[in-house]
Amino acid sequence: MANVLYPKAKEDFLAGNLNLSSNTVTIALVDTDVYTFSSAHEDRADIPNSAVVATANLASKTIAGGVFDADDASFTSVSGANCEALIIYHTDIEGAGNTTSRLIAYVDSASGLPILPNGGDITVRFSSGASKIFAL
C-alpha cells in the first residue's frame, strides 16, 4: 500500500466542505493488524477503536500552493500494539463524534514506520520536502 488520500476527502476538498486550517485535524498511530485501508472508508467510525494506538491534534497548520503542512506531531507516553500506519482525519466539531470525522490520509510508508511503542513519547516528523504532509 502506498500513501493515499481517501476518495471522500478529495470530494470534500473539491466541494469546499473541509477546512483544514481552521478546524481540528487529528493524526492517529494505527495497528494495521486490526485496520486495513479501504478506499470505501469515509469516517473515523470506519476504523475500529482497537486499531488506534494513540492520537494527537495537529498544530500550526498551513496551506500554501496546494500543500498541507503542520508542526511535527507528538504523542506522549505511548504503549500498545505495533503501529504500521498513520491516519489523518478532520475531527468532527459538531459533537457527532466519529460518524462525521472525515478520513483524509492514510500513510504507511513514512520514515520510522513501523514503530513499537514502549511507553515513551513518539514524535512524527513531517517531510520538509515540497509535498510536506500532502499536496493536492
Side-chain angles (χ1 to χ4, degrees):
M1 179 84 236
N3 301 341
V4 64
L5 294 178
Y6 285 89
K8 190 64 175 177
K10 290 180 189 180
E11 289 178 21
D12 281 346
F13 287 134
L14 292 171
N17 296 331
L18 282 178
N19 187 336
L20 299 181
S21 59
S22 65
N23 291 342
T24 302
V25 177
T26 301
I27 185 169
L29 295 170
V30 176
D31 177 5
T32 59
D33 287 338
V34 180
Y35 173 75
T36 301
F37 171 83
S38 169
S39 62
H41 292 164
E42 298 180 1
D43 302 305
R44 171 59 183 79
D46 291 322
I47 303 170
N49 288 333
S50 59
V52 177
V53 176
T55 61
N57 291 334
L58 298 182
S60 301
K61 300 170 298 205
T62 61
I63 299 169
V67 176
F68 177 63
D69 196 16
D71 287 347
D72 295 340
S74 295
F75 302 84
T76 56
S77 304
V78 182
S79 60
N82 200 32
C83 302
E84 301 88 0
L86 305 167
I87 294 179
I88 298 171
Y89 58 96
H90 185 265
T91 306
D92 172 47
I93 60 169
E94 297 177 13
N98 292 342
T99 58
T100 58
S101 292
R102 178 70 67 225
L103 298 178
I104 297 171
Y106 177 87
V107 178
D108 68 351
S109 62
S111 177
L113 288 177
I115 187 165
L116 180 59
N118 63 8
D121 296 348
I122 295 174
T123 299
V124 172
R125 295 190 192 329
F126 296 118
S127 173
S128 59
S131 293
K132 309 291 184 192
I133 297 174
F134 66 83
L136 297 179

Short mmCIF file of all heavy atoms in Angstrom, two decimals, residues 12 17 36 43 46 48 52 62 72-73 77 103 109 111 113 132:
data_model
loop_
_atom_site.label_atom_id
_atom_site.label_comp_id
_atom_site.label_asym_id
_atom_site.label_seq_id
_atom_site.Cartn_x
_atom_site.Cartn_y
_atom_site.Cartn_z
N ASP A 12 -14.69 16.13 -0.69
CA ASP A 12 -14.98 17.22 0.24
C ASP A 12 -14.06 18.41 0.03
O ASP A 12 -14.47 19.56 0.20
CB ASP A 12 -14.91 16.73 1.68
CG ASP A 12 -16.15 15.97 2.10
OD1 ASP A 12 -17.17 16.04 1.39
OD2 ASP A 12 -16.12 15.30 3.15
N ASN A 17 -15.95 21.47 1.56
CA ASN A 17 -16.52 21.01 2.82
C ASN A 17 -15.50 20.73 3.92
O ASN A 17 -15.88 20.48 5.05
CB ASN A 17 -17.35 19.73 2.60
CG ASN A 17 -18.54 19.99 1.71
OD1 ASN A 17 -19.08 21.09 1.68
ND2 ASN A 17 -18.94 18.97 0.97
N THR A 36 -7.48 -2.39 8.09
CA THR A 36 -6.99 -2.49 6.72
C THR A 36 -7.59 -1.35 5.91
O THR A 36 -8.82 -1.17 5.91
CB THR A 36 -7.39 -3.85 6.09
OG1 THR A 36 -6.84 -4.89 6.90
CG2 THR A 36 -6.87 -3.96 4.67
N ASP A 43 -15.23 7.81 7.21
CA ASP A 43 -15.23 8.48 8.51
C ASP A 43 -14.44 7.69 9.54
O ASP A 43 -14.23 6.49 9.40
CB ASP A 43 -16.67 8.68 8.99
CG ASP A 43 -17.49 9.48 8.01
OD1 ASP A 43 -17.07 10.59 7.67
OD2 ASP A 43 -18.55 8.98 7.58
N ASP A 46 -15.15 4.17 10.61
CA ASP A 46 -14.75 3.02 9.80
C ASP A 46 -13.48 2.36 10.32
O ASP A 46 -13.08 1.32 9.82
CB ASP A 46 -14.54 3.44 8.34
CG ASP A 46 -15.84 3.81 7.64
OD1 ASP A 46 -16.86 3.13 7.89
OD2 ASP A 46 -15.83 4.77 6.86
N PRO A 48 -11.75 0.59 13.52
CA PRO A 48 -12.04 0.06 14.86
C PRO A 48 -11.23 0.82 15.92
O PRO A 48 -10.05 1.11 15.71
CB PRO A 48 -11.59 -1.39 14.79
CG PRO A 48 -11.53 -1.72 13.33
CD PRO A 48 -11.21 -0.43 12.63
N VAL A 52 -6.59 2.00 16.86
CA VAL A 52 -5.97 3.30 17.14
C VAL A 52 -5.17 3.21 18.44
O VAL A 52 -5.73 3.05 19.51
CB VAL A 52 -7.03 4.42 17.22
CG1 VAL A 52 -6.38 5.74 17.57
CG2 VAL A 52 -7.79 4.52 15.90
N THR A 62 -0.73 24.85 8.05
CA THR A 62 -0.64 25.83 6.97
C THR A 62 -1.06 25.18 5.66
O THR A 62 -0.93 23.97 5.47
CB THR A 62 0.79 26.38 6.80
OG1 THR A 62 1.68 25.32 6.49
CG2 THR A 62 1.25 27.10 8.06
N ASP A 72 5.45 19.12 13.60
CA ASP A 72 5.58 17.70 13.87
C ASP A 72 4.62 17.32 14.99
O ASP A 72 4.35 18.12 15.88
CB ASP A 72 7.01 17.36 14.26
CG ASP A 72 8.00 17.60 13.13
OD1 ASP A 72 7.58 17.65 11.96
OD2 ASP A 72 9.20 17.73 13.42
N ALA A 73 4.09 16.10 14.93
CA ALA A 73 3.10 15.65 15.91
C ALA A 73 3.78 14.88 17.04
O ALA A 73 4.64 14.03 16.78
CB ALA A 73 2.06 14.76 15.24
N SER A 77 3.78 9.26 26.14
CA SER A 77 3.64 8.02 26.90
C SER A 77 2.83 6.96 26.14
O SER A 77 1.83 6.45 26.64
CB SER A 77 2.99 8.29 28.26
OG SER A 77 3.73 9.26 28.97
N LEU A 103 -12.13 10.95 7.21
CA LEU A 103 -10.79 10.43 6.99
C LEU A 103 -10.16 11.20 5.84
O LEU A 103 -10.80 11.43 4.81
CB LEU A 103 -10.85 8.94 6.64
CG LEU A 103 -11.42 8.03 7.72
CD1 LEU A 103 -11.47 6.58 7.21
CD2 LEU A 103 -10.63 8.12 9.00
N SER A 109 4.07 4.48 4.53
CA SER A 109 5.46 4.40 4.06
C SER A 109 6.25 5.63 4.48
O SER A 109 6.94 6.25 3.68
CB SER A 109 5.49 4.22 2.54
OG SER A 109 4.91 5.32 1.89
N SER A 111 9.12 7.44 7.10
CA SER A 111 10.32 7.11 7.85
C SER A 111 9.95 6.81 9.30
O SER A 111 9.17 7.54 9.91
CB SER A 111 11.30 8.28 7.78
OG SER A 111 12.44 8.01 8.54
N LEU A 113 8.35 4.08 10.36
CA LEU A 113 7.27 3.08 10.45
C LEU A 113 7.79 1.74 9.97
O LEU A 113 8.54 1.68 9.01
CB LEU A 113 6.07 3.50 9.59
CG LEU A 113 5.24 4.66 10.07
CD1 LEU A 113 4.15 4.99 9.06
CD2 LEU A 113 4.63 4.39 11.43
N LYS A 132 5.43 18.22 1.80
CA LYS A 132 5.16 18.30 3.25
C LYS A 132 4.32 17.11 3.72
O LYS A 132 4.72 15.98 3.51
CB LYS A 132 4.49 19.63 3.61
CG LYS A 132 5.19 20.86 3.09
CD LYS A 132 6.49 21.09 3.78
CE LYS A 132 7.10 22.41 3.27
NZ LYS A 132 8.44 22.55 3.66
#
